[in-house]
Amino acid sequence: MEIFFTTLNLVLLVALAAIYVQLYRDLPNKYTASLLVLSLALLLYAGTSNPVVHNVFGFRPRPNIGAFVFLPDFFIGLAILVLLYQSQT
């Protein structure tokens, strides 16, 4: 489940960052710049929290503590969906 949610977040954040880059090109101000920085920070989080990335770089897996492993990624995914919805309206 964790791999699914972190990969989904990564894909959604790439789309969100692309939207914010276009928005910043059309309307360069502090607010759109901060949205772009926020999406890039979340993109870095999603990339570094993915268990596949941990395995590729040889890090030990996190201990399995049930649902608490993927719940933070699930809630971040919900926040990303809200940001995507807000950027489309």
Side-chain angles (χ1 to χ4, degrees):
M1 291 297 289
E2 184 182 12
I3 293 172
F4 171 75
F5 282 118
T6 55
T7 304
L8 178 66
N9 289 347
L10 193 62
V11 170
L12 291 174
L13 282 165
V14 167
L16 186 67
I19 290 169
Y20 286 160
V21 164
Q22 183 62 37
L23 182 64
Y24 185 74
R25 286 182 183 160
D26 294 341
L27 187 65
N29 60 35
K30 289 181 182 180
Y31 179 71
T32 55
S34 65
L35 287 175
L36 183 58
V37 169
L38 172 70
S39 66
L40 292 176
L42 286 173
L43 185 66
L44 288 173
Y45 168 77
T48 57
S49 69
N50 195 321
V52 174
V53 174
H54 296 174
N55 289 335
V56 167
F57 288 105
F59 294 109
R60 293 181 303 174
R62 291 188 276 183
N64 188 1
I65 54 175
F68 291 105
V69 172
F70 72 88
L71 275 179
D73 295 314
F74 173 74
F75 292 129
I76 288 174
L78 288 177
I80 295 166
L81 288 174
V82 168
L83 289 172
L84 277 170
Y85 176 76
Q86 290 293 325
S87 66
Q88 298 299 318
T89 58

